[in-house]
């Protein structure tokens, strides 16, 4: 239903709490770009990040959608380089 889709989009948008910069170094099994957080909140610097729709060598800005002890997942906001 159209009403349900808009609710899902709102939930995704509100789940993004922080913006991070990630240097993508490889592709994970399943295709997400995997790299390290190079800018953002101090507690996330150097942690592994998984960002879909990215490729090795890219530096991207991502919104944090999930945070675990040893890694974060993000949604692509923009490709910086």
């Amino acid at each position: 239903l159209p009403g349900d889709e808009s609710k899902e989009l709102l939930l995704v948008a509100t789940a993004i709490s922080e913006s991070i910069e990630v240097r993508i170094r490889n592709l994970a099994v399943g295709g997400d770009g995997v790299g390290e957080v190079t800018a953002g909140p101090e507690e996330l610097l150097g942690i592994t990040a998984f960002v879909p729709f990215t490729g090795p060598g890219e530096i991207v800005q991502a919104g944090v959608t999930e945070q675990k002890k040893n890694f974060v997942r993000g949604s692509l906001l923009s490709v910086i380089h």
Side-chain angles (χ1 to χ4, degrees):
L1 299 168
D4 292 336
E5 290 172 8
S6 63
K7 288 179 186 176
E8 287 179 24
L9 291 175
L10 178 61
L11 290 174
V12 170
T14 57
I16 299 172
S17 60
E18 303 184 62
S19 178
I20 56 174
E21 186 175 293
V22 181
R23 181 180 303 273
I24 303 298
R25 62 173 151 69
N26 213 336
L27 291 178
V29 175
D32 289 352
V34 60
E36 291 80 31
V37 176
T38 57
E42 188 174 333
E43 67 273 11
L44 297 180
L45 293 178
I47 196 168
T48 298
F50 295 89
V51 184
F53 311 112
T54 62
E58 292 182 328
I59 298 172
V60 301
Q61 182 178 16
V64 176
T65 58
E66 181 181 357
Q67 184 175 345
K68 300 289 185 178
K69 182 179 178 183
N70 297 320
F71 70 91
V72 294
R73 293 189 189 281
S75 62
L76 180 63
L77 298 176
S78 65
V79 175
I80 298 169
H81 177 69

